[in-house]
Amino acid sequence: MNTSSTSPASTPPSPATRESGGFFRRHRWWSALGAIALAILALVLLWDWNWFKGPIERQVEARTGRRLEIAGDLDVDLGRVPVIRADALSFANASWAKQPMMATAQRLELSIEFWPLLKGEVRIPQIRLTQPRVNLQTDPSHGGNWVFERGGGGELPKFRKIWIEDGRMEFLDAAGKTDIRLAVNSRPPRREDAAPPVDVEGGGRWKNSAFTLQGRAESPLELSQAQRPYRLNLRAAAGATRAHARGELVDPFHLRDFDLRFALAGKNLADLYPLIGVAIPPTPPYALDGRLQRDGVRWNYRDFTGKVGDSDLSGDASVDTGGARPYLRADLISKRLDFDDLAGFIGAPPETGRGETSNPELAALNAQFDAKPRLLPDTPYRLDKLRAMDADVKLKAARINAPGWPLDDMQAHLLLEDGLLKLDPLNFGVADGDIRSTITMDARNPTIRTRADIQARRLTLAKLMPTIKLGQDAVGKVGGRIALSGSGNSIAKMLGSGDGSVAVGMGQGQVSNLLMEFAGIDLAEIIKFKLTSDRKIPIRCAFGDFSVNDGVMTAQSLAFDTSDTVLVGTGTINLRDEKLDMVVRARPKDRSLLSLRAPLIVTGSFKQPNARPDYKRLGLRGAAAIALGAIAPPAALLATLELGPGKDAGCAAHTIN
């Protein structure tokens, strides 16, 4: 029997299976795209942008040497202009800085244009910062904390707009005693395509002086637009000093080619010294407004006008900060100068009476000055201020207001270099003439050494006696010379140690005869002129010649010679103790009944001088008259009869034109 084995027959594929397998074999590209789509779908569903936080943080640290931390989420909205958001950012500070973080932000949101990225150009149309905090600090040893160890590297991206919400900035300069804290918030722009401006408000301490700041400025991003005007309107106050800057700047980082108005006001220009390093003597309250510019290291204050105390002031000023010391240059003009507004230059406070512009501090100083028994200012000059800056200042005053003083106008040129101060010239128009001076103050040593050379020319005699009614009709011209040198850090000390000479004189003129009789206490002549009328008598000459040694003026010769009387003086004027010790003797050239002539004694202090006849000699003549009167009344007149022994003084050699 034959047997045979057979294998089971395989099942043939179904028609559907054959169709599906054929599709994938015939459409391999569609299959690949489907797989890719599935992979992208899975990637989108599982993608987390936070994966990039680590690489970003490491890249920033590699470029700056500072640690960046993104503690919150990192997210990206894809589109034609992708938007990146990062929360809870912090950027480490320099190791030496006070604060651990240089910058933090609750949220950073920025847009990046996609297509320029393909060309390697980074354009950021907008940045939004929520609660940013920036801590800037500078240190003499390390510089600023914005200088990175590794330099940053790379080209900065191009920004267009920045929006700041609840921003805070702090700047600390411990060596410069400066600590500034500002709040910064963006505000809607005037134009849709413009960057939002920012409101700024805050304060702190600037060079150890408390100040506040508020106002509005263009977006910080506009600072990079060198050709586009940068608008600002800021007000600042430091103590009683107030400043207002408003206008437009072009190329703000270089601060040139701009129209920026700058108003400055305060109670005392001396308060500017700790703020800007410019030393100015104490002044009454002031208010100035002009144009502020910058040319390299020179700051210019152009075309300013205003008032200092009761004086108008205008001109140009500049401060050069490029040298070893600030250099102040100024060309000043005053149409009407109130003379006491310059009192601070000699260490005295300005007047604070009715009608005077002042402040409480100056009023207190003036009260203290008035209460002192001495007249000469004893407030010492501050050597640190005289050495802290250089200066070249010119001042012209067309008219001077100085009640009781015959001052007409003024011209001064002050030069200060390395502690050496020169006033050359210091000229005053006085009583239709002029007083010309050259003064040098050497403050390079602990004690100031001062020299003054002064000349007075053609001063009208009548105007030198504005408060003396009998002297208002006087005729004559007065001149003089003063040459003094002294040591001391105040006006009182300088004069109190002075050496040199003082000379004054005049040529021919006329003076009230009644005035001369009063000087000689000639009662008969006084009664005669009172009952009739006064008349002028010729002045032959007048002169005074003093030597000055260690602050004491000693009269070498002193005379006032008229056709009626010669007045001759002797004695001393003590500049150190402010004491007067002078004797003036009248020597009439006529005969006079009822003469009570006696030497005129001038004593007392500069602040309280006292002039009186020598009562001892007058008493003796009165006693003689009484004794003679007991014998015969007519004989009593003989005791008061002046025989007129005076002679013409030698005037020619002493006349000073």
Side-chain angles (χ1 to χ4, degrees):
M1 177 172 86
N2 294 329
T3 61
S4 63
S5 61
T6 61
S7 60
S10 58
T11 305
S14 65
T17 303
R18 289 196 300 269
E19 183 177 352
S20 174
F23 176 83
F24 283 110
R25 286 193 297 272
R26 292 193 302 271
H27 303 285
R28 289 187 176 89
W29 287 108
W30 287 104
S31 300
L33 290 175
I36 292 173
L38 290 173
I40 291 175
L41 178 61
L43 184 62
V44 170
L45 293 175
L46 299 176
W47 182 265
D48 190 351
W49 288 100
N50 289 318
W51 295 342
F52 288 93
K53 293 197 304 184
I56 292 174
E57 292 170 346
R58 289 189 292 273
Q59 181 70 12
V60 171
E61 185 171 2
R63 287 176 174 267
T64 64
R66 308 268 184 90
R67 183 172 179 269
L68 172 70
E69 181 180 2
I70 306 175
D73 289 332
L74 177 65
D75 192 19
V76 178
D77 288 344
L78 297 175
R80 185 177 62 85
V81 181
V83 178
I84 301 174
R85 298 183 185 88
D87 294 332
L89 295 95
S90 60
F91 182 62
N93 215 336
S95 59
W96 51 267
K98 178 180 178 181
Q99 299 290 344
M101 295 298 164
M102 178 179 174
T104 63
Q106 184 184 42
R107 167 166 286 193
L108 166 65
E109 183 177 310
L110 57 88
S111 304
I112 300 180
E113 294 185 359
F114 178 74
W115 294 110
L117 282 175
L118 302 180
K119 298 184 291 183
E121 184 178 350
V122 181
R123 293 183 183 177
I124 300 178
Q126 181 170 287
I127 298 177
R128 297 182 70 91
L129 291 169
T130 303
Q131 294 185 5
R133 305 290 185 263
V134 178
N135 299 307
L136 303 178
Q137 184 175 349
T138 184
D139 179 87
S141 302
H142 305 92
N145 66 337
W146 53 87
V147 179
F148 303 114
E149 297 177 2
R150 301 176 190 175
E155 184 178 352
L156 291 175
K158 296 181 179 180
F159 302 96
R160 292 182 185 173
K161 298 179 182 179
I162 183 171
W163 184 273
I164 300 172
E165 181 181 347
D166 190 20
R168 298 287 188 275
M169 189 195 79
E170 178 180 353
F171 174 77
L172 178 62
D173 178 8
K177 299 179 181 180
T178 298
D179 187 354
I180 303 173
R181 292 179 173 85
L182 300 176
V184 182
N185 286 280
S186 295
R187 291 293 179 260
R190 296 179 180 178
R191 305 187 317 272
E192 185 176 351
D193 60 339
V198 293
D199 282 350
V200 179
E201 184 175 3
R205 302 193 72 83
W206 174 267
K207 295 186 177 180
N208 207 34
S209 297
F211 82 101
T212 59
L213 176 69
Q214 63 177 359
R216 176 168 293 189
E218 289 296 298
S219 167
L221 296 181
E222 296 291 339
L223 293 171
S224 62
Q225 304 295 326
Q227 302 305 319
R228 182 179 299 173
Y230 183 79
R231 290 178 292 274
L232 57 82
N233 191 339
L234 300 175
R235 296 179 183 271
T241 303
R242 303 179 305 279
H244 182 199
R246 72 275 189 203
E248 295 182 347
L249 293 76
V250 177
D251 195 4
F253 282 120
H254 295 92
L255 293 178
R256 59 172 179 258
D257 300 329
F258 63 86
D259 183 10
L260 182 64
R261 300 295 300 180
F262 187 75
L264 192 64
K267 65 181 183 181
N268 192 337
L269 280 169
D271 294 340
L272 296 178
Y273 178 60
L275 298 174
I276 61 175
V278 175
I280 302 175
T283 69
Y286 67 94
L288 306 171
D289 194 2
R291 179 173 299 184
L292 184 65
Q293 297 176 325
R294 183 181 179 184
D295 182 10
V297 296
R298 179 177 294 182
W299 292 81
N300 301 306
Y301 197 34
R302 305 283 191 193
D303 302 324
F304 70 84
T305 59
K307 293 190 69 176
V308 178
D310 297 304
S311 307
D312 68 275
L313 192 66
S314 62
D316 300 320
S318 67
V319 177
D320 194 321
T321 60
R325 296 170 299 278
Y327 200 123
L328 171 66
R329 295 175 175 86
D331 194 351
L332 311 176
I333 297 174
S334 177
K335 297 178 182 178
R336 179 187 179 277
L337 177 68
D338 202 59
F339 193 58
D340 70 276
D341 290 338
L342 299 177
F345 285 83
I346 60 171
E351 294 292 332
T352 58
R354 186 176 180 180
E356 295 284 352
T357 301
S358 185
N359 60 60
E361 289 80 1
L362 290 179
L365 289 175
N366 192 271
Q368 294 175 11
F369 185 78
D370 287 342
K372 292 180 179 180
R374 297 198 171 198
L375 181 65
L376 297 177
D378 59 359
T379 302
Y381 289 98
R382 286 184 52 179
L383 297 179
D384 59 329
K385 287 189 174 183
L386 288 172
R387 300 169 182 171
M389 58 174 282
D390 297 331
D392 183 349
V393 178
K394 298 176 182 177
L395 171 63
K396 290 183 179 180
R399 186 163 65 94
I400 296 179
N401 179 45
W405 294 79
L407 299 177
D408 302 324
D409 53 37
M410 175 185 175
Q411 180 179 358
H413 186 191
L414 181 148
L415 291 169
L416 175 62
E417 186 172 354
D418 195 21
L420 181 62
L421 184 149
K422 293 183 179 179
L423 281 166
D424 185 13
L426 174 60
N427 295 344
F428 291 93
V430 180
D432 300 330
D434 60 74
I435 295 179
R436 299 186 177 186
S437 309
T438 300
I439 298 174
T440 302
M441 296 173 57
D442 190 346
R444 292 174 292 187
N445 296 311
T447 302
I448 300 175
R449 182 71 179 170
T450 302
R451 178 171 179 80
D453 294 296
I454 304 171
Q455 283 194 339
R457 302 188 307 178
R458 302 188 63 78
L459 311 184
T460 299
L461 179 61
K463 291 189 175 182
L464 294 176
M465 300 182 287
T467 60
I468 301 176
K469 185 177 181 180
L470 295 177
Q472 293 177 0
D473 293 331
V475 177
K477 295 293 184 179
V478 179
R481 299 191 190 98
I482 299 175
L484 288 177
S485 61
S487 298
N489 292 350
S490 68
I491 295 297
K493 292 290 185 182
M494 293 172 187
L495 293 175
S497 63
D499 297 314
S501 62
V502 176
V504 62
M506 67 170 288
Q508 295 181 355
Q510 292 179 329
V511 70
S512 164
N513 197 19
L514 182 57
L515 180 63
M516 297 305 298
E517 301 304 340
F518 269 117
I521 319 181
D522 191 337
L523 297 182
E525 291 293 304
I526 292 173
I527 294 172
K528 181 183 73 174
F529 289 122
K530 284 291 187 179
L531 293 176
T532 58
S533 61
D534 190 15
R535 62 183 177 86
K536 293 180 182 179
I537 58 173
I539 300 172
R540 296 191 63 250
C541 69
F543 56 85
D545 188 6
F546 294 83
S547 65
V548 185
N549 184 27
D550 197 21
V552 179
M553 297 174 56
T554 302
Q556 305 298 309
S557 57
L558 180 62
F560 192 91
D561 186 6
T562 72
S563 61
D564 178 81
T565 303
V566 178
L567 300 178
V568 178
T570 58
T572 61
I573 300 174
N574 193 318
L575 302 176
R576 183 176 59 253
D577 299 331
E578 298 192 18
K579 296 294 184 181
L580 301 170
D581 186 10
M582 299 290 296
V583 178
V584 179
R585 294 178 173 85
R587 298 177 180 177
K589 300 178 182 179
D590 58 358
R591 297 176 180 271
S592 176
L593 295 175
L594 299 179
S595 173
L596 297 178
R597 297 191 184 275
L600 187 66
I601 306 298
V602 181
T603 58
S605 67
F606 290 0
K607 206 163 192 178
Q608 292 183 326
N610 180 33
R612 68 185 190 282
D614 185 346
Y615 292 115
K616 293 181 180 179
R617 181 175 175 182
L618 184 61
L620 290 174
R621 297 190 64 164
I626 293 174
L628 291 173
I631 301 172
L637 296 178
L638 297 176
T640 58
L641 179 63
E642 182 62 65
L643 300 180
K647 297 182 179 180
D648 292 343
C651 295
H654 297 278
T655 301
I656 301 175
N657 295 322

